[in-house]
Amino acid sequence: MPQPSTPIIGPLTKARFLRRPNRFLLQVRLEHTGSEVEAHMADPGRLRELLIPEKRLWLRPASNPERKTRWTAVLVESPDGSGLVSLDTTLPNRLIAEALRKKAISELRDWDLVRAEVKMGRSRFDFILSRGESEKLMLEVKSVTLVEDGVALFPDAVTERGARHVRELSEIAAKPGWEAAVLFVLQRPDAGEIRAARSIDPKFSEALTEAGKAGVRILGRRCTVLEDRVELGISVPTYVG
């Protein structure tokens, strides 16, 4: 049976990264014309090991011809050139939604997808699942793109929002009839495990450690990024500390 996947909408145009004036804007050079243009960047992470001068990117033209930024950055070549990494922050969630519908995530196979984008307390979580009539599970998905010495790390920049999500998942897991989980989606093939990036964001790491103690399930999955789609991969060992 084919693995769950989600399409990457094209057509895509190849370019080379030049510089990043701010978190949401890239300056790039189109390969087919050599002209320099600006591209919208949806992922606000640092991505310093990915966005290096002359690294190849794939861009999508804006659907609205009146938009100030005529291009959107969609993919970037991995540091060693062996694969692609998504710059579209919606792709991991779309992939996991499809995987949940097809019950392709073994750790969550007993659960049914209820809906996405669920508000509870002060936060909005990615998915709510159910098992039977009385059990519910809140699931938060985190995209992982930073790898150091074969270890995938999250986050790649301080994320107060991410730490708050994890703390609130601990509170949810303590409620009668509720469970909670964090699913890290690794977008690169060059890591064998996932860990919290304590040196980058100690508060997130501490929150994740406490969440594990509180019963929040910590899961990891690899995905394969291709030019036309993203496919779900195998489980990846994931550690809280």
Side-chain angles (χ1 to χ4, degrees), residues 96 99-100 102-113 127 129-131 137-141 179-183 217 219 221:
I96 296 306
L100 291 171
K102 293 185 175 179
K103 296 188 177 294
I105 300 174
S106 57
E107 300 93 334
L108 301 173
R109 192 165 290 156
D110 294 339
W111 296 84
D112 298 316
L113 175 61
F127 300 102
L129 314 178
S130 68
R131 183 167 61 187
L137 184 149
M138 196 71 79
L139 175 65
E140 182 69 9
V141 176
E179 293 188 28
V182 182
L183 174 57
R217 300 168 71 178
L219 310 174
R221 276 276 172 163

Side-chain angles (χ1 to χ4, degrees), residues 186-234:
L186 175 59
Q187 295 203 50
R188 291 171 52 178
D190 53 348
E193 62 184 60
I194 302 170
R195 291 185 178 272
R198 182 175 295 275
S199 63
I200 295 174
D201 191 344
K203 290 184 178 180
F204 177 86
S205 180
E206 291 166 8
L208 192 65
T209 297
E210 292 305 311
K213 294 177 182 178
V216 177
R217 300 168 71 178
I218 313 297
L219 310 174
R221 276 276 172 163
R222 192 184 306 279
C223 70
T224 301
V225 182
L226 305 170
E227 286 191 41
D228 64 341
R229 66 191 185 280
V230 178
E231 295 180 346
L232 186 71
I234 62 174

